[in-house]
Amino acid sequence: MTKVVEISPTTRLEGHSKLTLKVDDQGIVERGDWLSITPVRGIEKLAIGKTMEQVPKIASRVCGICPIAHTLASTEAMEASIGCEIPTDAKLLRTILHAANRLHSIALHNILILPDFYIPGTEKKFNLFANEQPARSVMARIVRIREIGQTIGAIAGGEAIHPSNPRIGGMYHNVSPRAKQKMADLAKEGLVLAHEQMEFMLDVIRNMQNREFVEVAGKQIPLPKKLGYHNQGVMATSPMYGSSSLDENPTWDFSRWKETRPWDWYMGEVTIDLEDPSYPLGGTTKVGTKANPQMEACTGVPTYDGQPVEVGPRARLAAFKNFDEKGTFAQHIARQMEYPDCCYTILKCLDNLDTSGKVLADHIPLGDGSMGWAANEAPRGTNIHLARVKDGKVLWYEMLVPTTWNFPTCSRALTGAPWQIAEMVVRAYDPCVSCATHMIVVNEEEKIVAQKLMQW
Protein backbone atom coordinates (compact mmCIF):
# COMPACT_ATOMS: atom_id res chain seq x y z
CA MET A 1 0.00 0.00 0.00
CA THR A 2 1.44 3.36 -1.03
CA LYS A 3 2.01 5.95 1.66
CA VAL A 4 3.24 9.55 1.47
CA VAL A 5 6.11 10.92 3.55
CA GLU A 6 7.55 14.40 3.32
CA ILE A 7 10.97 15.85 4.25
CA SER A 8 10.66 19.61 4.51
CA PRO A 9 12.96 21.42 4.35
CA THR A 10 15.87 19.42 3.00
CA THR A 11 19.22 20.21 4.60
CA ARG A 12 22.90 20.82 3.79
CA LEU A 13 22.25 22.49 0.45
CA GLU A 14 21.81 26.09 -0.69
CA GLY A 15 18.24 27.43 -0.52
CA HIS A 16 14.99 25.79 0.56
CA SER A 17 13.54 22.68 -1.06
CA LYS A 18 11.47 19.69 0.00
CA LEU A 19 10.86 16.06 -0.89
CA THR A 20 7.36 14.63 -1.24
CA LEU A 21 7.69 10.86 -1.57
CA LYS A 22 5.22 8.08 -2.34
CA VAL A 23 6.64 4.88 -0.81
CA ASP A 24 5.70 1.20 -0.66
CA ASP A 25 5.29 -0.98 2.44
CA GLN A 26 9.08 -1.37 2.71
CA GLY A 27 9.64 2.40 2.55
CA ILE A 28 11.03 2.30 -0.99
CA VAL A 29 10.28 5.36 -3.12
CA GLU A 30 7.80 4.64 -5.92
CA ARG A 31 7.56 8.30 -6.96
CA GLY A 32 9.59 11.22 -5.69
CA ASP A 33 8.99 14.92 -6.22
CA TRP A 34 11.86 17.23 -5.32
CA LEU A 35 10.87 20.87 -5.54
CA SER A 36 12.01 24.36 -4.68
CA ILE A 37 10.10 26.22 -1.98
CA THR A 38 12.49 29.20 -1.96
CA PRO A 39 10.84 32.61 -2.41
CA VAL A 40 11.15 33.99 -5.93
CA ARG A 41 14.00 36.35 -6.92
CA GLY A 42 12.25 37.82 -9.96
CA ILE A 43 15.50 38.53 -11.77
CA GLU A 44 14.04 38.11 -15.25
CA LYS A 45 11.33 40.68 -14.56
CA LEU A 46 13.77 43.11 -12.93
CA ALA A 47 15.97 42.93 -16.04
CA ILE A 48 13.35 44.29 -18.44
CA GLY A 49 14.11 47.86 -19.45
CA LYS A 50 17.49 47.95 -17.70
CA THR A 51 20.72 48.65 -19.57
CA MET A 52 22.78 45.72 -20.76
CA GLU A 53 25.51 46.79 -18.32
CA GLN A 54 23.13 46.72 -15.35
CA VAL A 55 21.59 43.29 -15.87
CA PRO A 56 24.70 41.11 -15.23
CA LYS A 57 25.15 42.89 -11.90
CA ILE A 58 21.49 42.25 -11.05
CA ALA A 59 21.67 38.62 -12.21
CA SER A 60 24.72 37.95 -10.03
CA ARG A 61 22.58 38.77 -6.95
CA VAL A 62 20.30 35.78 -7.55
CA CYS A 63 22.39 33.95 -4.95
CA GLY A 64 25.64 34.27 -3.02
CA ILE A 65 27.04 30.88 -4.05
CA CYS A 66 27.02 31.19 -7.87
CA PRO A 67 27.48 34.94 -8.60
CA ILE A 68 30.52 34.39 -10.82
CA ALA A 69 28.77 31.90 -13.11
CA HIS A 70 25.74 34.18 -13.40
CA THR A 71 27.80 37.33 -14.02
CA LEU A 72 29.69 35.66 -16.86
CA ALA A 73 26.66 33.95 -18.43
CA SER A 74 24.62 37.15 -18.24
CA THR A 75 27.41 39.31 -19.68
CA GLU A 76 27.99 36.88 -22.53
CA ALA A 77 24.25 36.59 -23.28
CA MET A 78 24.24 40.37 -23.79
CA GLU A 79 27.31 40.11 -26.02
CA ALA A 80 25.67 37.31 -27.99
CA SER A 81 22.55 39.40 -28.52
CA ILE A 82 24.45 42.48 -29.74
CA GLY A 83 27.05 40.45 -31.68
CA CYS A 84 30.14 41.57 -29.75
CA GLU A 85 33.33 39.49 -29.86
CA ILE A 86 35.76 40.06 -26.99
CA PRO A 87 39.61 40.07 -27.04
CA THR A 88 41.49 36.85 -26.34
CA ASP A 89 43.05 38.09 -23.11
CA ALA A 90 39.64 39.03 -21.75
CA LYS A 91 38.41 35.51 -22.47
CA LEU A 92 41.45 34.08 -20.67
CA LEU A 93 40.74 36.18 -17.57
CA ARG A 94 37.10 35.07 -17.58
CA THR A 95 38.15 31.43 -17.84
CA ILE A 96 40.57 31.83 -14.92
CA LEU A 97 37.78 33.40 -12.87
CA HIS A 98 35.40 30.60 -13.83
CA ALA A 99 37.86 27.81 -12.93
CA ALA A 100 38.75 29.45 -9.62
CA ASN A 101 35.05 29.58 -8.73
CA ARG A 102 34.64 25.87 -9.49
CA LEU A 103 37.68 24.99 -7.38
CA HIS A 104 36.30 26.78 -4.33
CA SER A 105 32.79 25.39 -4.89
CA ILE A 106 33.88 21.74 -5.03
CA ALA A 107 35.64 22.18 -1.69
CA LEU A 108 32.52 23.75 -0.20
CA HIS A 109 30.43 20.81 -1.35
CA ASN A 110 32.85 18.41 0.39
CA ILE A 111 31.90 20.07 3.68
CA LEU A 112 28.19 19.56 2.98
CA ILE A 113 28.33 15.87 2.03
CA LEU A 114 31.03 14.41 4.29
CA PRO A 115 28.67 14.00 7.31
CA ASP A 116 26.80 11.40 5.18
CA PHE A 117 29.99 9.32 4.81
CA TYR A 118 31.98 7.00 7.04
CA ILE A 119 35.66 7.29 7.92
CA PRO A 120 37.12 4.36 5.93
CA GLY A 121 37.80 1.30 8.09
CA THR A 122 35.44 2.47 10.84
CA GLU A 123 31.73 2.61 11.68
CA LYS A 124 32.08 6.30 12.47
CA LYS A 125 30.67 9.08 10.31
CA PHE A 126 32.63 12.26 9.60
CA ASN A 127 32.27 15.18 11.96
CA LEU A 128 34.32 17.94 10.37
CA PHE A 129 34.00 20.08 13.47
CA ALA A 130 35.56 17.45 15.75
CA ASN A 131 38.95 18.28 17.22
CA GLU A 132 40.52 15.03 16.05
CA GLN A 133 42.03 13.42 12.98
CA PRO A 134 41.30 13.07 10.14
CA ALA A 135 38.75 15.86 10.52
CA ARG A 136 41.31 18.55 11.45
CA SER A 137 43.65 17.98 8.52
CA VAL A 138 40.80 17.55 6.02
CA MET A 139 39.12 20.77 7.11
CA ALA A 140 42.43 22.65 7.00
CA ARG A 141 42.99 21.45 3.43
CA ILE A 142 39.43 22.33 2.35
CA VAL A 143 39.69 25.81 3.85
CA ARG A 144 43.01 26.46 2.09
CA ILE A 145 41.65 25.24 -1.28
CA ARG A 146 38.68 27.55 -0.92
CA GLU A 147 40.96 30.43 0.05
CA ILE A 148 43.10 29.83 -3.03
CA GLY A 149 40.08 29.72 -5.32
CA GLN A 150 38.57 32.87 -3.86
CA THR A 151 41.87 34.79 -3.96
CA ILE A 152 42.51 33.94 -7.62
CA GLY A 153 38.92 34.90 -8.35
CA ALA A 154 39.35 38.23 -6.59
CA ILE A 155 42.49 39.02 -8.60
CA ALA A 156 41.03 38.09 -11.99
CA GLY A 157 37.48 39.24 -11.33
CA GLY A 158 37.83 42.22 -9.01
CA GLU A 159 35.95 40.59 -6.11
CA ALA A 160 35.58 36.97 -5.07
CA ILE A 161 31.78 37.06 -4.64
CA HIS A 162 30.22 39.53 -7.08
CA PRO A 163 32.99 40.11 -9.64
CA SER A 164 33.29 43.73 -10.80
CA ASN A 165 35.90 43.31 -13.55
CA PRO A 166 33.77 41.59 -16.27
CA ARG A 167 31.85 44.05 -18.47
CA ILE A 168 30.06 44.05 -21.80
CA GLY A 169 32.80 43.81 -24.43
CA GLY A 170 35.45 42.18 -22.25
CA MET A 171 36.96 43.23 -18.92
CA TYR A 172 37.50 46.63 -17.30
CA HIS A 173 41.23 45.99 -16.85
CA ASN A 174 43.97 43.45 -17.38
CA VAL A 175 46.12 42.19 -14.49
CA SER A 176 49.67 43.26 -13.73
CA PRO A 177 52.64 40.89 -14.25
CA ARG A 178 52.95 40.67 -10.45
CA ALA A 179 49.28 39.70 -10.08
CA LYS A 180 49.70 37.10 -12.81
CA GLN A 181 52.65 35.56 -10.92
CA LYS A 182 50.68 35.51 -7.69
CA MET A 183 47.81 33.64 -9.37
CA ALA A 184 50.29 31.13 -10.81
CA ASP A 185 51.89 30.54 -7.40
CA LEU A 186 48.49 30.01 -5.82
CA ALA A 187 47.34 27.66 -8.60
CA LYS A 188 50.48 25.52 -8.20
CA GLU A 189 49.90 25.24 -4.45
CA GLY A 190 46.24 24.52 -5.14
CA LEU A 191 47.12 21.77 -7.59
CA VAL A 192 49.01 19.80 -4.92
CA LEU A 193 46.15 20.21 -2.43
CA ALA A 194 43.54 19.38 -5.10
CA HIS A 195 45.23 16.07 -5.88
CA GLU A 196 45.42 15.23 -2.16
CA GLN A 197 41.78 16.12 -1.56
CA MET A 198 40.61 14.27 -4.66
CA GLU A 199 42.40 11.07 -3.61
CA PHE A 200 41.05 11.38 -0.08
CA MET A 201 37.47 11.86 -1.27
CA LEU A 202 37.66 9.00 -3.77
CA ASP A 203 38.73 6.66 -0.93
CA VAL A 204 35.81 7.85 1.19
CA ILE A 205 33.26 7.47 -1.63
CA ARG A 206 34.50 4.03 -2.73
CA ASN A 207 34.37 2.90 0.89
CA MET A 208 30.73 4.00 1.05
CA GLN A 209 29.90 2.19 -2.19
CA ASN A 210 31.01 -1.09 -0.62
CA ARG A 211 28.69 -0.75 2.40
CA GLU A 212 25.40 -2.65 2.71
CA PHE A 213 23.76 -0.31 5.21
CA VAL A 214 23.93 3.30 6.34
CA GLU A 215 22.75 4.55 9.71
CA VAL A 216 20.04 7.23 9.78
CA ALA A 217 18.45 8.28 13.08
CA GLY A 218 19.76 5.15 14.81
CA LYS A 219 18.34 2.78 12.18
CA GLN A 220 20.22 0.70 9.64
CA ILE A 221 18.94 1.64 6.17
CA PRO A 222 19.85 -0.57 3.17
CA LEU A 223 22.16 1.14 0.69
CA PRO A 224 21.15 0.18 -2.90
CA LYS A 225 23.99 -0.47 -5.34
CA LYS A 226 22.07 1.55 -7.94
CA LEU A 227 21.31 4.51 -5.69
CA GLY A 228 20.32 7.53 -7.77
CA TYR A 229 20.24 5.76 -11.14
CA HIS A 230 17.92 7.18 -13.82
CA ASN A 231 17.31 6.69 -17.53
CA GLN A 232 17.51 10.35 -18.54
CA GLY A 233 20.20 11.83 -20.77
CA VAL A 234 22.97 14.23 -19.87
CA MET A 235 23.65 17.76 -21.08
CA ALA A 236 26.96 19.67 -21.05
CA THR A 237 28.42 22.35 -23.28
CA SER A 238 32.14 22.07 -22.43
CA PRO A 239 34.50 20.25 -20.04
CA MET A 240 35.33 23.58 -18.39
CA TYR A 241 33.91 26.83 -19.75
CA GLY A 242 30.95 26.85 -22.14
CA SER A 243 29.48 28.07 -25.41
CA SER A 244 27.31 30.84 -26.84
CA SER A 245 25.22 31.62 -29.88
CA LEU A 246 28.21 33.62 -31.19
CA ASP A 247 30.20 30.40 -31.63
CA GLU A 248 30.67 28.99 -35.10
CA ASN A 249 29.56 25.59 -33.77
CA PRO A 250 27.51 26.15 -30.58
CA THR A 251 27.26 23.17 -28.24
CA TRP A 252 23.74 23.99 -27.02
CA ASP A 253 20.65 24.22 -29.20
CA PHE A 254 17.97 26.75 -28.28
CA SER A 255 15.37 24.93 -30.40
CA ARG A 256 15.70 21.72 -28.33
CA TRP A 257 14.72 23.44 -25.07
CA LYS A 258 11.11 23.46 -23.84
CA GLU A 259 9.68 24.42 -20.48
CA THR A 260 6.73 22.83 -18.68
CA ARG A 261 4.87 24.53 -15.86
CA PRO A 262 4.99 22.83 -12.45
CA TRP A 263 1.24 22.26 -12.34
CA ASP A 264 1.61 20.07 -15.42
CA TRP A 265 4.52 18.06 -14.00
CA TYR A 266 4.47 17.52 -10.24
CA MET A 267 1.97 15.39 -8.30
CA GLY A 268 -1.23 17.07 -7.12
CA GLU A 269 -2.62 17.35 -3.60
CA VAL A 270 -1.74 14.46 -1.28
CA THR A 271 -2.15 13.81 2.43
CA ILE A 272 0.87 12.84 4.52
CA ASP A 273 0.18 9.42 6.09
CA LEU A 274 3.70 8.32 7.12
CA GLU A 275 5.66 10.17 9.76
CA ASP A 276 9.01 9.62 11.50
CA PRO A 277 9.66 11.99 14.46
CA SER A 278 13.18 10.57 14.82
CA TYR A 279 14.31 11.71 11.36
CA PRO A 280 17.21 14.16 11.76
CA LEU A 281 16.55 17.82 12.46
CA GLY A 282 13.00 17.70 13.76
CA GLY A 283 11.38 14.74 12.06
CA THR A 284 9.32 14.49 8.89
CA THR A 285 6.06 16.35 8.19
CA LYS A 286 3.23 15.34 10.51
CA VAL A 287 0.53 12.86 9.47
CA GLY A 288 -2.62 14.53 8.18
CA THR A 289 -0.81 17.50 6.63
CA LYS A 290 -1.81 18.36 3.07
CA ALA A 291 0.90 18.75 0.43
CA ASN A 292 0.46 19.99 -3.13
CA PRO A 293 3.78 19.93 -5.04
CA GLN A 294 2.31 21.12 -8.32
CA MET A 295 1.12 24.33 -6.64
CA GLU A 296 4.09 24.78 -4.30
CA ALA A 297 7.00 24.28 -6.71
CA CYS A 298 8.74 27.57 -7.42
CA THR A 299 10.44 26.55 -10.68
CA GLY A 300 9.45 25.62 -14.18
CA VAL A 301 10.52 22.24 -15.58
CA PRO A 302 13.01 22.58 -18.46
CA THR A 303 13.43 19.69 -20.87
CA TYR A 304 15.84 19.02 -23.76
CA ASP A 305 14.43 17.01 -26.63
CA GLY A 306 11.28 16.62 -24.54
CA GLN A 307 12.97 14.94 -21.58
CA PRO A 308 14.62 16.04 -18.32
CA VAL A 309 18.41 15.85 -18.45
CA GLU A 310 21.16 15.70 -15.87
CA VAL A 311 23.71 18.53 -15.77
CA GLY A 312 26.85 18.80 -13.66
CA PRO A 313 30.21 17.08 -13.29
CA ARG A 314 29.02 13.58 -14.18
CA ALA A 315 27.30 14.94 -17.28
CA ARG A 316 30.47 16.81 -18.30
CA LEU A 317 32.66 13.76 -17.89
CA ALA A 318 30.12 11.54 -19.68
CA ALA A 319 29.82 13.97 -22.61
CA PHE A 320 33.50 14.77 -23.05
CA LYS A 321 35.61 12.09 -21.31
CA ASN A 322 33.67 8.83 -21.76
CA PHE A 323 32.89 8.55 -18.04
CA ASP A 324 30.32 5.74 -17.82
CA GLU A 325 29.52 5.34 -14.12
CA LYS A 326 25.98 6.20 -13.03
CA GLY A 327 24.06 7.32 -9.99
CA THR A 328 24.71 9.18 -6.79
CA PHE A 329 28.23 7.95 -6.13
CA ALA A 330 29.27 8.54 -9.74
CA GLN A 331 28.24 12.19 -9.35
CA HIS A 332 30.43 12.49 -6.28
CA ILE A 333 33.35 10.78 -8.04
CA ALA A 334 33.09 12.97 -11.12
CA ARG A 335 33.06 16.11 -9.01
CA GLN A 336 36.29 15.13 -7.24
CA MET A 337 37.91 14.37 -10.61
CA GLU A 338 37.34 18.00 -11.60
CA TYR A 339 39.50 19.30 -8.73
CA PRO A 340 42.86 19.16 -10.61
CA ASP A 341 41.27 20.32 -13.90
CA CYS A 342 40.46 23.66 -12.28
CA CYS A 343 44.12 24.29 -11.41
CA TYR A 344 45.45 23.00 -14.73
CA THR A 345 43.02 25.32 -16.57
CA ILE A 346 44.14 28.34 -14.54
CA LEU A 347 47.81 27.57 -15.18
CA LYS A 348 47.26 27.03 -18.90
CA CYS A 349 45.36 30.32 -19.24
CA LEU A 350 48.08 32.16 -17.32
CA ASP A 351 50.72 30.74 -19.67
CA ASN A 352 48.83 32.30 -22.59
CA LEU A 353 47.81 35.56 -20.90
CA ASP A 354 49.52 38.72 -22.18
CA THR A 355 49.34 41.27 -19.38
CA SER A 356 49.94 44.01 -21.96
CA GLY A 357 47.11 42.78 -24.19
CA LYS A 358 43.85 44.68 -24.62
CA VAL A 359 40.82 43.33 -22.78
CA LEU A 360 38.03 45.48 -24.23
CA ALA A 361 36.48 45.26 -27.70
CA ASP A 362 37.12 48.22 -30.02
CA HIS A 363 33.44 48.51 -30.85
CA ILE A 364 30.47 47.56 -28.66
CA PRO A 365 27.17 47.51 -30.60
CA LEU A 366 23.92 48.49 -28.88
CA GLY A 367 21.86 45.64 -30.34
CA ASP A 368 18.82 45.29 -32.61
CA GLY A 369 16.71 42.98 -30.43
CA SER A 370 18.19 39.71 -31.70
CA MET A 371 18.08 36.75 -29.33
CA GLY A 372 21.45 35.69 -27.92
CA TRP A 373 22.34 33.05 -25.38
CA ALA A 374 25.40 32.04 -23.41
CA ALA A 375 25.98 28.83 -21.45
CA ASN A 376 28.75 28.25 -18.97
CA GLU A 377 29.55 25.09 -17.06
CA ALA A 378 28.98 26.32 -13.51
CA PRO A 379 30.12 24.04 -10.66
CA ARG A 380 26.62 22.52 -10.52
CA GLY A 381 26.12 22.22 -14.27
CA THR A 382 25.06 24.02 -17.43
CA ASN A 383 24.03 27.60 -16.66
CA ILE A 384 22.25 29.29 -19.57
CA HIS A 385 21.21 32.93 -19.86
CA LEU A 386 19.20 34.24 -22.83
CA ALA A 387 18.62 37.87 -23.76
CA ARG A 388 17.29 40.24 -26.37
CA VAL A 389 19.00 43.66 -26.35
CA LYS A 390 17.97 46.67 -28.43
CA ASP A 391 19.59 50.12 -28.29
CA GLY A 392 21.47 49.02 -25.17
CA LYS A 393 18.29 48.09 -23.24
CA VAL A 394 17.15 44.57 -22.33
CA LEU A 395 13.83 43.63 -23.93
CA TRP A 396 13.65 40.01 -22.71
CA TYR A 397 15.68 37.87 -20.32
CA GLU A 398 15.64 34.22 -19.19
CA MET A 399 17.83 32.15 -16.89
CA LEU A 400 18.05 28.33 -17.09
CA VAL A 401 20.30 27.46 -14.20
CA PRO A 402 21.77 24.05 -13.26
CA THR A 403 19.47 23.07 -10.39
CA THR A 404 16.43 23.95 -12.50
CA TRP A 405 17.57 21.31 -14.98
CA ASN A 406 18.32 18.81 -12.22
CA PHE A 407 15.06 19.09 -10.24
CA PRO A 408 13.01 16.79 -12.54
CA THR A 409 15.93 14.46 -13.28
CA CYS A 410 16.71 13.95 -9.62
CA SER A 411 13.02 13.38 -8.90
CA ARG A 412 13.14 10.38 -11.23
CA ALA A 413 16.44 9.22 -9.73
CA LEU A 414 14.76 8.89 -6.34
CA THR A 415 12.73 5.87 -7.46
CA GLY A 416 13.96 2.70 -5.76
CA ALA A 417 15.75 4.42 -2.88
CA PRO A 418 14.74 3.97 0.77
CA TRP A 419 13.06 7.26 1.65
CA GLN A 420 15.42 7.82 4.60
CA ILE A 421 18.37 8.34 2.25
CA ALA A 422 16.57 10.40 -0.40
CA GLU A 423 18.43 13.48 0.80
CA MET A 424 21.73 11.78 -0.04
CA VAL A 425 20.53 11.53 -3.64
CA VAL A 426 19.59 15.22 -3.67
CA ARG A 427 22.90 16.37 -2.17
CA ALA A 428 24.90 14.60 -4.88
CA TYR A 429 23.57 17.19 -7.34
CA ASP A 430 25.12 19.97 -5.19
CA PRO A 431 21.86 21.95 -5.40
CA CYS A 432 21.74 25.72 -5.54
CA VAL A 433 18.00 26.10 -5.09
CA SER A 434 17.83 29.89 -4.80
CA CYS A 435 19.28 30.34 -8.29
CA ALA A 436 16.70 27.92 -9.65
CA THR A 437 13.62 29.63 -8.22
CA HIS A 438 11.57 31.54 -10.77
CA MET A 439 7.88 31.25 -9.86
CA ILE A 440 5.91 33.82 -7.86
CA VAL A 441 4.18 32.86 -4.60
CA VAL A 442 0.87 34.65 -4.15
CA ASN A 443 -0.18 33.03 -0.86
CA GLU A 444 2.84 33.02 1.45
CA GLU A 445 1.08 31.05 4.21
CA GLU A 446 0.03 28.21 1.94
CA LYS A 447 2.96 28.59 -0.54
CA ILE A 448 0.67 28.74 -3.56
CA VAL A 449 2.19 29.83 -6.88
CA ALA A 450 0.50 32.33 -9.17
CA GLN A 451 -0.86 29.67 -11.48
CA LYS A 452 -3.03 31.88 -13.65
CA LEU A 453 -1.47 35.28 -13.09
CA MET A 454 2.06 34.77 -14.40
CA GLN A 455 2.71 36.14 -17.86
CA TRP A 456 5.29 34.07 -19.71
Side-chain angles (χ1 to χ4, degrees):
M1 179 181 176
T2 298
K3 291 191 174 182
V4 179
V5 61
E6 185 177 79
I7 301 168
S8 180
T10 50
T11 59
R12 283 190 275 130
L13 49 83
E14 194 286 329
H16 297 276
S17 71
K18 75 171 188 175
L19 286 159
T20 304
L21 308 167
K22 290 183 177 179
V23 304
D24 65 16
D25 291 337
Q26 284 72 48
I28 304 300
V29 176
E30 294 180 337
R31 171 176 176 150
D33 276 5
W34 176 42
L35 54 141
S36 166
I37 53 174
T38 301
V40 70
R41 298 300 198 259
I43 297 295
E44 287 99 333
K45 297 299 180 188
L46 289 172
I48 306 302
K50 303 294 192 301
T51 69
M52 59 182 177
E53 291 284 1
Q54 286 177 301
V55 171
K57 299 183 189 307
I58 295 170
S60 76
R61 268 65 181 179
V62 68
C63 128
I65 304 296
C66 317
I68 289 172
H70 291 308
T71 297
L72 295 177
S74 181
T75 302
E76 293 180 5
M78 304 297 157
E79 291 165 348
S81 176
I82 63 177
C84 180
E85 300 279 358
I86 69 171
T88 299
D89 289 309
K91 191 71 175 184
L92 289 171
L93 284 174
R94 288 184 183 180
T95 306
I96 291 169
L97 176 59
H98 182 86
N101 176 235
R102 188 186 292 182
L103 177 68
H104 127 80
S105 189
I106 297 172
L108 173 63
H109 189 243
N110 285 175
I111 297 174
L112 298 176
I113 62 167
L114 272 171
D116 286 330
F117 289 81
Y118 290 82
I119 300 171
T122 76
E123 288 299 311
K124 191 174 181 181
K125 285 188 176 180
F126 277 95
N127 177 4
L128 291 175
F129 300 101
N131 189 25
E132 59 187 35
Q133 295 295 359
R136 290 298 81 198
S137 59
V138 172
M139 272 301 284
R141 187 164 58 219
I142 288 174
V143 168
R144 182 56 183 159
I145 291 172
R146 294 190 67 213
E147 185 179 24
I148 288 171
Q150 294 291 70
T151 304
I152 293 174
I155 296 171
E159 282 84 22
I161 304 298
H162 295 105
S164 57
N165 197 18
R167 57 160 294 175
I168 308 300
M171 304 289 273
Y172 279 101
H173 57 79
N174 204 333
V175 297
S176 67
R178 185 175 179 182
K180 175 181 174 179
Q181 185 59 53
K182 182 173 182 178
M183 287 193 285
D185 292 343
L186 287 168
K188 289 172 185 173
E189 179 190 350
L191 183 59
V192 175
L193 296 175
H195 274 291
E196 291 176 359
Q197 185 64 12
M198 177 186 71
E199 295 297 335
F200 165 78
M201 290 300 299
L202 291 179
D203 285 345
V204 169
I205 296 163
R206 295 297 188 196
N207 173 71
M208 189 78 161
Q209 276 185 298
N210 292 327
R211 293 185 62 88
E212 299 292 330
F213 295 90
V214 59
E215 185 176 299
V216 179
K219 306 181 186 70
Q220 284 192 335
I221 308 300
L223 193 58
K225 296 301 178 189
K226 294 186 176 181
L227 183 68
Y229 275 41
H230 59 75
N231 294 320
Q232 307 307 128
V234 298
M235 186 179 78
T237 58
S238 165
M240 176 56 69
Y241 196 81
S243 182
S244 86
S245 52
L246 285 180
D247 293 345
E248 185 176 352
N249 296 301
T251 53
W252 187 72
D253 187 346
F254 171 80
S255 68
R256 296 166 68 182
W257 159 59
K258 301 293 181 189
E259 191 164 47
T260 301
R261 307 304 165 209
W263 44 89
D264 295 321
W265 187 273
Y266 288 107
M267 69 177 84
E269 184 176 278
V270 290
T271 302
I272 308 302
D273 51 9
L274 176 62
E275 176 184 350
D276 184 352
S278 69
Y279 190 76
L281 303 181
T284 60
T285 301
K286 293 187 179 303
V287 166
T289 304
K290 300 288 186 183
N292 193 346
Q294 65 179 212
M295 293 301 291
E296 297 171 88
C298 295
T299 62
V301 180
T303 57
Y304 204 59
D305 295 333
Q307 292 291 322
V309 290
E310 179 185 328
V311 299
R314 192 189 78 89
R316 287 191 282 264
L317 265 61
F320 294 100
K321 298 187 178 181
N322 298 318
F323 185 72
D324 61 1
E325 294 190 49
K326 296 181 179 179
T328 297
F329 295 117
Q331 290 173 316
H332 288 308
I333 290 166
R335 187 170 288 107
Q336 314 317 313
M337 292 171 67
E338 291 194 329
Y339 256 128
D341 286 349
C342 299
C343 298
Y344 284 127
T345 297
I346 293 168
L347 289 168
K348 183 178 179 181
C349 288
L350 288 171
D351 282 344
N352 293 313
L353 179 68
D354 177 3
T355 55
S356 299
K358 69 175 184 179
V359 292
L360 188 62
D362 292 328
H363 174 61
I364 302 174
L366 293 178
D368 60 5
S370 298
M371 197 282 288
W373 60 262
N376 61 33
E377 288 297 326
R380 293 156 189 82
T382 309
N383 175 42
I384 304 161
H385 289 221
L386 308 95
R388 292 184 186 274
V389 180
K390 184 177 182 181
D391 299 329
K393 297 289 184 66
V394 175
L395 304 178
W396 172 77
Y397 194 62
E398 184 82 24
M399 299 167 68
L400 298 169
V401 310
T403 301
T404 309
W405 291 101
N406 280 333
F407 268 123
T409 310
C410 177
S411 294
R412 293 188 174 181
L414 293 165
T415 303
W419 73 263
Q420 296 92 339
I421 57 174
E423 280 194 275
M424 285 178 57
V425 178
V426 168
R427 288 189 196 107
Y429 288 84
D430 190 10
C432 195
V433 177
S434 296
C435 301
T437 298
H438 294 279
M439 304 294 285
I440 288 182
V441 177
V442 294
N443 184 326
E444 186 63 34
E445 185 175 346
E446 298 180 12
K447 306 291 183 190
I448 303 298
V449 299
Q451 180 178 2
K452 302 299 183 187
L453 299 181
M454 287 291 294
Q455 299 297 317
W456 296 91

